[in-house]
Amino acid sequence: MRERSDEELMKAWSGGSMEAFETLYSRYRGPLYRYLLRLAGTETGANDLYQGAWEKVIAARRKLPDKAPFRAWLFRVAHNHAMDGFRSRQAETGLETETLAASSPGPADLAAAAEQRQSLESAVQALPAEQRDALLLKLEGGLDLDEIARITGVGKETAKSRLRYAVARLKKTMASNSTEVKHEH
């Protein structure tokens, strides 16, 4: 028996099948949460965004355009929800919403892989918001350039440029971190 496509599951869910919803939820729980976690920078923020995004998806389930890929629609709903939340927080506090991850050194006994992962996560958080968002939609959402452009409301070339700059910046940051580590030892 072949696995049902997202679109088939979405249609069944719109018709009232909770089993179809549970399958979709299970399928996208990890990628969507990781995307929102990296956008928010904290587990608390990611949990709030994740819950709110699924609430919006549930409310809009009958509005999925025909022929629209579910994955792109899901990440667009989550992206828009996150951006609305960031804008409202910025309006409330008057502060910029871009959060930079704290770069606290780990204990000396941490494995090199864990240190590198933390360094990469910090570097991703330090990216400008537009570049970080494009990169996370690509990596966590598995979306292509056209879908990223549609979700973020920019042209395909702009989305491509944001991805290119994000990758270049990460490479530069990781290379300089690698050099610093070598000089420390």
Side-chain angles (χ1 to χ4, degrees), residues 101-119:
S103 57
S104 58
D109 61 341
L110 279 180
E115 289 177 18
Q116 188 171 13
R117 186 178 64 245
Q118 177 61 40
S119 180

Side-chain angles (χ1 to χ4, degrees), residues 3-16:
E3 188 174 274
R4 293 169 70 185
S5 74
D6 293 342
E7 292 69 28
E8 290 170 331
L9 289 167
M10 188 64 192
K11 188 173 184 173
W13 176 36
S14 292

Side-chain angles (χ1 to χ4, degrees), residues 120 123 127 164-178:
L120 179 59
L127 288 171
R164 187 174 51 249
Y165 285 124
V167 169
R169 194 174 203 158
L170 286 176
K171 283 181 181 178
K172 183 178 179 183
T173 300
M174 295 308 290
S176 69
N177 288 348
S178 175

